[in-house]
């Protein structure tokens, strides 16, 4: 079955960095569109970044220049490098997989807390 397991979250001071990872299995990772979403307390889940099978990357405006999404198809891993973190980046971060011709799948999330 499909599994998406996020890791790398934690507590960091404003201006700091974190690297999130998502270990994927149970589907064809290399041809899937992969993405990161986040949900802050009391807010709706929002899209953060996406990477296509062809490594085309897109970002929400507020993280451009600070976050970098990447994929390692040899290891079936999706990453999110987060730099210059701000308190407003505090959220649960979710990995999402959109395999070609299939429904989307979600991980269980990893908590990121940025202190001011």
């Amino acid at each position: 079955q499909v599994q998406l397991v996020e890791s790398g979250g934690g507590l960091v001071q404003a201006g700091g960095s974190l690297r999130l990872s998502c270990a994927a299995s149970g589907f064809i990772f290399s041809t899937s569109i992969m993405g990161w979403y986040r949900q802050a307390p009391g807010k709706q889940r929002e899209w953060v970044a996406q990477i296509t099978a062809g490594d085309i990357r897109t970002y929400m405006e507020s993280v451009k220049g600070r976050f970098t999404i990447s994929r390692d198809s040899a290891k079936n891993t999706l990453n999110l490098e987060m730099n210059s973190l701000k308190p407003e980046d505090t959220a649960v971060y979710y990995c999402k997989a959109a395999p070609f011709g299939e429904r989307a799948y979600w991980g269980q999330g990893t908590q990121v807390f940025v202190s001011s």
Side-chain angles (χ1 to χ4, degrees):
Q1 72 275 23
V2 172
Q3 282 195 313
L4 296 169
V5 181
E6 300 97 333
S7 61
L11 171 64
V12 64
Q13 287 189 332
S17 299
L18 282 175
R19 180 181 174 90
L20 306 184
S21 293
C22 172
S25 62
F27 63 99
I28 303 174
F29 180 84
S30 61
T31 58
S32 299
I33 296 173
M34 300 296 297
W36 287 99
Y37 286 68
R38 68 186 184 187
Q39 187 167 18
K43 295 187 177 181
Q44 290 192 332
R45 190 173 298 188
E46 62 181 359
W47 169 78
V48 175
Q50 174 180 289
I51 185 168
T52 69
D55 280 348
I56 296 173
R57 307 172 193 197
T58 51
Y59 301 91
M60 69 182 301
E61 195 63 37
S62 64
V63 308
K64 283 181 181 178
R66 300 189 298 121
F67 290 12
T68 302
I69 189 171
S70 64
R71 64 193 299 158
D72 184 340
S73 291
K75 297 181 179 179
N76 283 6
T77 300
L78 177 72
N79 301 302
L80 186 68
E81 187 77 34
M82 305 187 296
N83 299 313
S84 303
L85 282 161
K86 304 175 181 180
E88 51 264 43
D89 295 319
T90 294
V92 178
Y93 283 72
Y94 297 91
C95 171
K96 178 184 176 183
F100 181 76
E102 298 182 42
R103 50 154 285 190
Y105 299 93
W106 294 88
Q108 83 290 347
T110 186
Q111 175 73 56
V112 171
F113 186 84
V114 184
S115 63
S116 55

